[in-house]
Amino acid sequence: MTTAESSEAADRARRLQRVAELLAEAVTPQEVLDAILTEGVRAAEARAGAIGVLTQDGANVELLAQRGYDASAVTGWSSFPLEAKVPMSDVIRTGEPLFLTSVQERNKRYPMFSDRGQQNHALVVVPLAVEGRVFGAMSLSFDREIEFEPERREMKLTLARQAAQALARSRLYAAEQTLRERMTFLAEASELLASSLDYNHTLKQVAQLSVPGLADWCAIDMVGPNGEIERLGVAHEDPAKVRWAYELQDRYPPDPDAPTGVPQVLRTGKPEFFPELPQELLDEAIGDDEELRRIIDELGLKSTICVPLVARNRTLGALTLIAAETHPPYTEADLALAVELARRAAVAVDNARLYREAERGADAARALAYVADGVALIDTSGSVLHWNPAAASITGVAEEEALGRQVSEVVPAWDALTSHVPLVPPGGDARPVTVPIVLEGRERWVSVSGVDFGDGTVYALQDVTEEHALEKTRSDFVATASHELRTPLAAVYGAVRTLRRDDVELTDADRAQFLEMIESEATRLAKIVDQILLAGQLDADAVEFELVECDLEEVAAGVIDSAALHVPESISLDLSVDGAAPIRCDENKLRQVLVNLVDNAVKYSPEGGRVELRVRSENGSCLIEVADEGLGIPEDERERIFEKFYRLDPQQTQGVGGSGLGLYICRELVERMNGRLRVESEPGKGSRFTVELPLRR
Amino acid sequence: MTSRTTDAALTPPAATILVVDDSPVNLQVLVRTLHGTGHRILAARDGRTALDIMKRARPDLVLLDVMMPELDGWTVARELAADERTRDIPIVFLTARADPADRRLGQQLGGVGYVVKPFDPVTIGDFVEGVLVRIERGERDELKRGISSEPDR
């Protein structure tokens, strides 16, 4: 070895050492490529260099980086088939290095390069391999012709080994890095999805999280309640672009029948993946719309992934990832990540919806538990699905007793209860029917309505027994009142018609008698009307009482004085006051009560006798008694006389007439003044009515 | 003096009609109105008196008020039906009760007519005459059936 040779060898070793150091520091594939193509090319004394690697499918060679070549020399060579008859493909295919001394040699072997620039003279292409597996090649071009002696060859091969190891390591690192990033992304996305039941919000956040790491654009569309497509969120790093995307969506709403994109994915439930968006697809979508073409061009769409959000076999929506201005085109790995992200998002949406449904169900059950109406859900086979507490209370059948059993078994009266109920479809006008049934030996009136919802019937039950009784009382009152009115009306009408006849002979005395009778019947009619009105007002609690301190002695004296004007001579009226204590009452109402009691006493004393009004106080109460020596009241009628329209009508008093409401009204009035009205009597010996009012303290 | 419009040939020469009403006005009106028909009119102010009269006089028709003290019209009708001597006396009920349930009761108790108060005394004469004619023709059952559908007068 000559001195020159040994110095050259030492120099090569130094250069290789320098490259090895740089490669050791390089972490990312880009740093590795930079190191190879600067220091490596320089160490090899080459003018230009390039690195190509096999694509994942092994069919093509992808040019990762180059340095020193003219742009014209590499144009169209970013990717080429492994089968191509070109130096790099040959080397990768064979694993054998290629050393070409001159342009002539190159052109001879690769005639297709004959027209290429002549500034490259010698050419070296060495395989990049780790553990015996070739994954790419490095080319080095020189600006002179070189005979590659074994040492030089060995140096290029060593450089290739170093480069291959560094590149493989960095690619592994990058892959790991990507994987880690994806795992981190998925973890963060999952955490977001699990953070809230408001999936609208969390899905938007997931879209936000996807840019720019996973996509330039990320959009989430959901299937609405009526099958319509609803855009839930669009994310881009630039908020202005997001606004623009929404405007675009408004101007160009999605066609639900579109053969590609979100509508297609929602329809089929299958992902759609375009590693490279075909221009014809865009052209088809754009049509003749120049404005849209401008927008699409500006977007610079490169590659898209659209995956469905599927949970429990239902497509809930779609996630779209778009690589445009910055993101590299998508790979299968990206698709897998998108599918996994969509799966997790769909589960989160589904869970949130299920939870909300369950919550609504719980709310509904709570509402049904407290509602006053009985609610019973009966399926088409007649079995009880739901039985709320009010239904249990109305029917007397407990929920646990009814659930799951035939309703006609647990409630024997069920058919009687529901057979006349018109069933309407949901939303129909469910008219309740009121039906009397015997439940647990009691007669109950139940208002029932039913809605048929296909899978069964929901019945609403209401116990209207009290309302029904009240209504009955009211209609009975009207019937009886009208009857009470008809009787004097008949007399007046009959008398008037008779008076006006010319075919019936009447003397002046007859006429006078008729007129007198008309007058008295009309008076009676007016009195009955007054009393019916008053009774109605009392029932409706519409009578106002003005409780003031009143002079009882004066009231009692007034009642006796006015009665004295019309009582028969056979009656003697007496008033006795044993120290009138102060009371609070409505003076007019009390007077009305006493007048009525005195009138009754006179009326039921046909044989005459003493009628006494006595005022006294006893045990903190004021007692006002009206006593007579008349007919008296049989024991079994003593309470009934206070009922509406009940009339004690012994033969002797016929024709006296009354409304049948007098005592009812008296008792009501007294009770509303915080007092009591009671009666003692001995048939044949007379009666004593006692008004008891509290003394004023 | 008469207000009769019915074919004289079909009318029995003179019938005995008992009028029962506790209201003196109504009794007066009925008696005076029917007096002009040429029939013999009897009057009672209560159910007990009416029963006594019917057992003695066997009237051809009774106009019976329902709401009367002590013995009401329904009770009088039941007692008439229970006694062989009075079972066949036709009854026209006079009442302020206009319920269908009351009409049915009147029908069940053998009524041949049901007049709701207030009624027009001018037409009551013709009504009574009509009832008498149809009874004479043997249409008593038809009269009974007609009670539930007869309009108020």
Side-chain angles (χ1 to χ4, degrees):
Chain A
M1 189 183 277
T2 64
T3 315
E5 279 173 338
S6 70
S7 126
E8 211 173 292
D11 193 32
R12 266 200 300 274
R14 244 191 339 271
R15 276 178 284 162
L16 278 176
Q17 181 60 36
R18 167 85 184 124
V19 173
E21 280 167 14
L22 271 178
L23 286 177
E25 284 168 19
V27 175
T28 65
Q30 196 55 51
E31 284 166 359
V32 169
L33 291 171
D34 282 349
I36 295 168
L37 292 176
T38 52
E39 289 306 313
V41 168
R42 191 181 302 153
E45 293 171 283
R47 192 190 69 76
I51 290 176
V53 294
L54 269 176
T55 53
Q56 213 161 11
D57 56 8
N60 292 292
V61 178
E62 189 186 354
L63 205 61
L64 285 187
Q66 64 87 16
R67 193 183 182 90
Y69 291 106
D70 283 351
S72 65
V74 288
T75 301
W77 289 95
S78 65
S79 177
F80 44 91
L82 183 61
E83 295 306 319
K85 182 66 188 141
V86 294
M88 209 175 252
S89 292
D90 283 350
V91 169
I92 294 174
R93 257 198 334 272
T94 60
E96 293 298 325
L98 183 70
F99 293 92
L100 299 173
T101 306
S102 64
V103 176
Q104 288 72 26
E105 200 182 340
R106 184 195 73 186
N107 289 353
K108 193 174 145 200
R109 190 146 174 193
Y110 297 102
M112 60 189 295
F113 289 128
S114 303
D115 59 339
R116 282 297 180 86
Q118 303 299 311
Q119 78 267 46
N120 295 321
H121 295 269
L123 173 68
V124 172
V125 181
V126 282
L128 300 174
V130 281
E131 295 168 357
R133 205 168 50 81
V134 180
F135 67 89
M138 173 172 72
S139 73
L140 297 164
S141 294
F142 299 83
D143 50 7
R144 57 197 164 97
E145 295 184 4
I146 300 172
E147 287 293 336
F148 293 99
E149 306 94 33
E151 293 81 13
R152 277 184 182 269
R153 293 191 180 204
E154 188 51 43
M155 190 268 175
K156 308 293 181 276
L157 292 172
T158 304
L159 184 61
R161 271 195 299 277
Q162 287 181 347
Q165 269 174 10
L167 193 54
R169 192 196 65 228
S170 74
R171 275 157 62 96
L172 197 63
Y173 172 81
E176 254 178 5
Q177 186 74 18
T178 307
L179 192 64
R180 202 165 30 241
E181 276 170 14
R182 288 184 171 168
M183 296 316 286
T184 308
F185 172 77
L186 273 183
E188 276 179 46
S190 297
E191 202 174 317
L192 266 180
L193 290 169
S195 66
S196 158
L197 286 169
D198 180 2
Y199 61 82
N200 282 351
H201 181 62
T202 53
L203 285 183
K204 277 181 202 166
Q205 286 182 305
V206 167
Q208 207 60 53
L209 192 66
S210 305
V211 294
L214 205 57
D216 289 313
W217 293 92
C218 177
I220 292 179
D221 296 274
M222 300 301 286
V223 179
N226 301 312
E228 72 279 16
I229 300 174
E230 288 175 353
R231 173 135 294 181
L232 187 67
V234 174
H236 188 282
E237 259 198 311
D238 181 355
K241 288 207 169 184
V242 171
R243 280 196 298 277
W244 181 54
Y246 275 110
E247 282 169 29
L248 210 57
Q249 170 98 358
D250 286 344
R251 266 159 65 192
Y252 302 98
D255 171 11
D257 298 320
T260 57
V262 172
Q264 154 80 359
V265 169
L266 292 179
R267 266 200 319 274
T268 62
K270 299 272 186 295
E272 189 183 73
F273 175 33
F274 292 111
E276 209 169 325
L277 209 52
Q279 188 57 45
E280 56 269 27
L281 202 68
L282 288 174
D283 288 344
E284 199 178 312
I286 292 165
D288 299 330
D289 193 333
E290 284 309 312
E291 166 76 0
L292 188 57
R293 178 171 298 280
R294 199 186 55 71
I295 292 167
I296 299 272
D297 285 349
E298 199 175 318
L299 279 171
L301 309 177
K302 277 196 303 220
S303 175
T304 64
I305 289 176
C306 183
V307 283
L309 306 184
V310 178
R312 290 184 296 144
N313 292 327
R314 283 184 312 138
T315 304
L316 311 176
L319 169 81
T320 308
L321 300 174
I322 298 176
E325 60 270 32
T326 64
H327 201 278
Y330 288 122
T331 62
E332 289 289 337
D334 293 318
L335 175 63
L337 177 67
V339 167
E340 179 59 21
L341 177 62
R343 189 188 67 77
R344 295 186 187 200
V347 168
V349 171
D350 195 40
N351 280 346
R353 286 185 180 173
L354 282 176
Y355 183 85
R356 210 174 287 175
E357 250 168 60
E359 223 176 27
R360 260 204 297 272
D363 285 345
R366 240 191 326 270
L368 283 179
Y370 294 119
V371 77
D373 285 7
V375 176
L377 192 60
I378 313 296
D379 72 11
T380 45
S381 72
S383 160
V384 178
L385 294 180
H386 189 90
W387 198 257
N388 76 345
S393 126
I394 291 169
T395 60
V397 176
E399 183 187 2
E400 54 273 22
E401 212 178 313
L403 282 184
R405 292 184 54 198
Q406 284 292 307
V407 68
S408 49
E409 268 174 41
V410 289
V411 183
W414 188 258
D415 285 344
L417 193 62
T418 55
S419 57
H420 297 295
V421 177
L423 296 182
V424 299
D429 185 8
R431 288 177 188 281
V433 173
T434 301
V435 193
I437 52 162
V438 176
L439 289 169
E440 301 182 305
R442 300 170 305 160
E443 188 192 61
R444 312 298 298 168
W445 285 79
V446 182
S447 158
V448 194
S449 63
V451 174
D452 185 344
F453 60 93
D455 295 337
T457 309
V458 58
Y459 288 101
L461 315 173
Q462 216 179 351
D463 187 335
V464 292
T465 307
E466 277 175 34
E467 290 87 337
H468 186 267
L470 210 65
E471 183 51 40
K472 173 120 181 29
T473 308
R474 201 169 296 143
S475 67
D476 284 355
F477 178 77
V478 171
T480 314
S482 75
H483 165 250
E484 293 292 333
L485 292 171
R486 275 170 189 271
T487 304
L489 195 62
V492 171
Y493 182 63
V496 170
R497 292 288 281 170
T498 306
L499 277 175
R500 285 172 61 103
R501 290 181 78 158
D502 47 16
D503 57 346
V504 173
E505 279 176 33
L506 293 172
T507 63
D508 285 350
D510 289 338
R511 289 179 184 279
Q513 193 192 355
F514 268 110
L515 287 172
E516 200 178 300
M517 288 190 291
I518 288 169
E519 187 181 17
S520 85
E521 290 295 330
T523 307
R524 183 176 155 208
L525 198 55
K527 188 177 161 197
I528 293 172
V529 169
D530 282 348
Q531 296 211 327
I532 285 174
L533 283 176
L534 181 54
Q537 283 175 332
L538 283 166
D539 286 349
D541 210 8
V543 181
E544 283 182 18
F545 287 81
E546 199 187 342
L547 298 185
V548 294
E549 192 166 325
C550 68
D551 186 341
L552 204 48
E553 189 169 359
E554 193 185 302
V555 174
V559 170
I560 291 296
D561 287 348
S562 66
L565 297 175
H566 60 260
V567 295
E569 280 180 10
S570 58
I571 302 276
S572 73
L573 286 171
D574 289 326
L575 170 66
S576 74
V577 180
D578 302 343
I583 56 163
R584 277 174 73 80
C585 70
D586 185 312
E587 208 172 288
N588 284 327
K589 307 280 193 306
L590 180 63
R591 184 177 295 114
Q592 199 173 343
V593 170
L594 297 183
V595 165
N596 205 305
L597 291 177
V598 170
D599 278 356
N600 270 352
V602 172
K603 201 195 290 181
Y604 290 93
S605 299
E607 310 291 328
R610 186 163 174 253
V611 169
E612 185 187 22
L613 201 160
R614 187 172 166 215
V615 180
R616 63 196 177 92
S617 51
E618 186 182 284
N619 300 330
S621 292
C622 169
L623 305 177
I624 310 157
E625 297 169 346
V626 177
D628 64 58
E629 298 170 342
L631 302 167
I633 306 158
E635 197 180 345
D636 58 349
E637 296 188 81
R638 266 172 227 160
E639 268 310 300
R640 297 201 64 192
I641 56 170
F642 294 106
E643 289 174 15
K644 265 185 237 170
F645 296 118
Y646 189 82
R647 202 182 282 144
L648 186 68
D649 251 342
Q651 197 179 359
Q652 292 91 332
T653 65
Q654 57 193 294
V656 173
S659 67
L661 289 167
L663 286 175
Y664 168 76
I665 290 171
C666 284
R667 179 171 267 187
E668 288 291 316
L669 290 177
V670 170
E671 287 181 353
R672 279 160 214 236
M673 291 188 286
N674 306 317
R676 290 193 299 163
L677 172 61
R678 58 178 189 269
V679 65
E680 299 146 275
S681 179
E682 199 174 327
K685 295 206 169 164
S687 310
R688 190 201 341 261
F689 288 82
T690 306
V691 175
E692 184 181 341
L693 288 167
L695 278 177
R696 183 162 178 259
R697 263 158 268 171
Chain B
M1 184 208 73
T2 176
S3 61
R4 282 166 66 184
T5 54
T6 320
D7 188 345
L10 291 170
T11 312
T16 301
I17 300 171
L18 171 64
V19 180
V20 191
D21 199 316
D22 65 319
S23 155
V25 191
N26 285 338
L27 201 61
Q28 283 268 22
V29 167
L30 281 167
V31 168
R32 282 174 183 273
T33 301
L34 295 173
H35 202 72
T37 59
H39 298 300
R40 181 174 168 230
I41 308 300
L42 306 176
R45 280 193 61 179
D46 60 82
R48 182 61 56 206
T49 314
L51 280 172
D52 290 346
I53 291 174
M54 279 187 274
K55 277 170 197 163
R56 285 199 319 268
R58 302 281 308 278
D60 299 296
L61 187 69
V62 55
L63 302 186
L64 183 59
D65 182 25
V66 173
M67 296 300 283
M68 292 185 294
E70 202 176 21
L71 274 192
D72 66 11
W74 305 137
T75 313
V76 170
R78 281 191 193 97
E79 291 206 8
L80 289 180
D83 191 327
E84 222 172 275
R85 291 170 293 173
T86 55
R87 186 173 296 162
D88 293 330
I89 298 174
I91 306 168
V92 169
F93 290 105
L94 304 176
T95 174
R97 309 191 73 108
D99 292 352
D102 289 316
R103 285 179 178 277
R104 279 195 296 277
L105 184 58
Q107 201 173 25
Q108 283 163 18
L109 293 175
V112 294
Y114 193 95
V115 177
V116 176
K117 293 180 183 179
F119 56 85
D120 185 352
V122 175
T123 61
I124 198 76
D126 287 348
F127 174 75
V128 165
E129 206 63 53
V131 170
L132 285 172
V133 169
R134 293 188 68 184
I135 289 170
E136 188 70 17
R137 282 187 194 151
E139 296 174 7
R140 216 168 141 154
D141 288 345
E142 285 87 335
L143 281 171
K144 275 188 187 176
R145 277 198 292 278
I147 281 187
S148 54
S149 57
E150 211 168 279
D152 293 356
R153 309 181 150 261

